[in-house]
Amino acid sequence: MTEERRQELAGLSQLLDRIGQAPRTDAERIRLGEMLQAVGQGSFGPLLLVPGVITLLPLVGDIPGVPTLMALLVLLVAGQLLVGRRTFWLPQWLLKRSVPHGKLDRALTWMHKPARVIDRGLKPRLTWLTQRAGTYLIAIFCFLIALAMPLMEVVPFSANGAGLALMMFGLSLMANDGLWALLALILTGGTVGAVIVALL
């Protein structure tokens, strides 16, 4: 992980803090654009972490339509990275979508303790999986996850598995930790396989 990226976002705990402290224009709901602005939209890792965490969080990830909304975000970001863009464009209609901030705040509080444990396990290793060609491999898998996520809304807990995989991919890129990317690749295969079996 470069020093610039380290300054932008140091780990999962800091991401949760930034989402929780994001300025809100609505008293009852928080927009996706407000969350992304708080964590930064300049690199691929945070833009995977946000939809991953939101989909994984209890109370929030289970709201109907949220996994599909997060899938659209991942499709746009991963697709743009695969065609060579280094800055990411997101449509206003997507950025204006929102979730109840009461549920979000409770879920963020619940997530803080495991986030601290996760952050302690991040370190640079297997870096070939998180640089250059490895980044494109991760983008391809994230694109495939996003394509499957709308179907996951009808298969209990599968969307949470997708959120976990996205979160792990995002953390692997931020921390240059290829082990997390490898585990996320395995989890992706297992989650997609479980969805296919459940729908047959």
Side-chain angles (χ1 to χ4, degrees), residues 102-192:
K103 287 186 176 182
L104 179 66
D105 289 342
R106 289 195 295 274
L108 291 174
T109 299
W110 174 87
M111 188 71 183
H112 265 289
K113 187 172 182 179
R116 289 193 291 270
V117 175
I118 289 169
D119 286 343
R120 287 197 292 269
L122 294 169
K123 61 182 179 181
R125 53 193 159 183
L126 300 179
T127 56
W128 58 272
L129 269 172
T130 58
Q131 298 176 356
R132 298 178 183 173
T135 301
Y136 286 95
L137 177 64
I138 289 173
I140 290 170
F141 270 79
C142 290
F143 196 87
L144 294 175
I145 291 172
L147 287 176
M149 280 174 72
L151 294 175
M152 293 178 184
E153 294 211 40
V154 299
V155 180
F157 306 113
S158 59
N160 300 104
L164 179 59
L166 291 172
M167 185 187 79
M168 292 169 70
F169 279 131
L171 288 171
S172 73
L173 292 172
M174 284 173 43
N176 208 14
D177 192 338
L179 177 60
W180 281 76
L182 181 60
L183 293 174
L185 290 171
I186 295 170
L187 177 59
T188 299
T191 300
V192 173

Side-chain angles (χ1 to χ4, degrees), residues 88-101:
F88 302 103
W89 171 85
L90 296 171
Q92 284 299 314
W93 64 264
L94 179 60
L95 296 174
K96 289 179 180 178
R97 300 302 296 269
S98 62
V99 297
H101 73 67

